Amino acid sequence: MRYPEPVSWGLYRGELMRILLFTQQLAAFRSGVGTYTHGLITGLRDLGHQVTVVVPEGEGIEMPDLRIHTASHSRFDPTPGRWLSLGVSFAKILSNKAMEYDIAHFTDARESWCVRHSPIPVTGMINDSYALDWLDVNFSRNIFADRYLRSFYYWLLRVVERHTYCRMDAVVVNGKYRVDRMRAGGQEEMLAVVDFLINKERVSLNK
């Protein structure tokens, strides 16, 4: 993973930025990704940043001064939200539009899997992953009739993630990996929990 100097990012210097946001959920709230996307757009626009959103066909919404581009995906794509084929379209749009923006952000980092080179920083959100639960030796896989198909999908997902996240300039982790000082018991305990979760993620990526 690359770690650019934060001072080179206008967002950290308080400058207004042109942000290209990629998401599979905007009109729909199928999961926390939709909630996160709405909150992020609202917060960035309240700060004065220019936000352009790239969404699948049918996910656009009416919002004053919000620019929206639509991306296509394959109807034969069996992945949730059709993220695999959507990632191909997202990468093409980023390649064509990158120089018009200061930074690109994916609300689901795995959807950047097809991005190879970008002239602007690319960041993403890693959300809770069922794939991690599936790798847990104590997880009850036998309750699923399609467990073999699920196993193959989660294996493929981890392969994609392993080769995707390391190419991003920065990632943000959401969901069960969050921890605060009060729940952990103190500052030192909080850092210990964070270190544990980071190590767990590294181990799972190497499996």
Side-chain angles (χ1 to χ4, degrees):
M1 185 182 300
R2 294 169 288 164
Y3 294 92
E5 290 294 328
V7 293
S8 68
W9 293 21
L11 193 62
Y12 288 90
R13 297 200 303 262
E15 298 176 1
L16 298 183
M17 298 185 70
R18 299 165 301 169
I19 302 170
L20 186 59
L21 188 69
F22 294 88
T23 183
Q24 65 167 259
Q25 296 182 37
L26 185 59
F29 284 78
R30 295 187 300 275
S31 69
V33 173
T35 304
Y36 164 66
T37 300
H38 274 265
L40 184 62
I41 291 173
T42 301
L44 290 172
R45 283 160 53 89
D46 285 347
L47 291 172
H49 299 291
Q50 176 186 313
V51 180
T52 299
V53 186
V54 183
V55 296
E57 296 172 354
E59 281 292 328
I61 62 172
E62 292 293 331
M63 187 177 290
D65 301 321
L66 180 67
R67 297 174 59 189
I68 294 180
H69 295 297
T70 57
S72 61
H73 50 63
S74 172
R75 61 191 180 94
F76 300 107
D77 184 350
T79 59
R82 296 174 178 170
W83 66 265
L84 198 62
S85 59
L86 194 59
V88 177
S89 295
F90 280 174
K92 290 179 180 178
I93 293 174
L94 177 60
S95 177
N96 294 331
K97 299 287 186 180
M99 298 308 297
E100 301 175 17
Y101 299 91
D102 301 305
I103 191 171
H105 179 70
F106 289 77
T107 60
D108 190 334
R110 63 186 175 181
E111 290 168 1
S112 69
W113 74 272
C114 209
V115 176
R116 292 296 182 265
H117 304 285
S118 173
I120 61 175
V122 176
T123 66
M125 172 71 77
I126 300 178
N127 304 287
D128 275 352
S129 173
Y130 292 111
L132 265 183
D133 293 331
W134 196 264
L135 292 173
D136 190 333
V137 295
N138 297 315
F139 188 76
S140 301
R141 303 181 185 85
N142 292 333
I143 64 175
F144 297 94
D146 61 346
R147 56 186 175 276
Y148 297 111
L149 182 60
R150 284 174 180 259
S151 293
F152 173 75
Y153 169 71
Y154 289 140
W155 170 82
L156 177 63
L157 176 60
R158 299 306 288 173
V159 171
V160 171
E161 290 177 333
R162 186 181 304 123
H163 289 86
T164 299
Y165 298 160
C166 62
R167 293 198 303 265
M168 307 190 80
D169 291 283
V171 294
V172 182
V173 180
N174 188 25
K176 65 184 177 185
Y177 299 101
R178 292 180 301 165
V179 63
D180 58 42
R181 184 169 54 185
M182 182 174 296
R183 282 188 291 175
Q187 182 70 18
E188 292 184 4
E189 291 81 358
M190 180 185 71
L191 295 177
V193 171
V194 170
D195 287 340
F196 169 78
L197 293 173
I198 290 175
N199 288 332
K200 181 178 180 181
E201 177 69 10
R202 285 174 175 163
V203 169
S204 69
L205 286 173
N206 291 327
K207 289 185 177 180

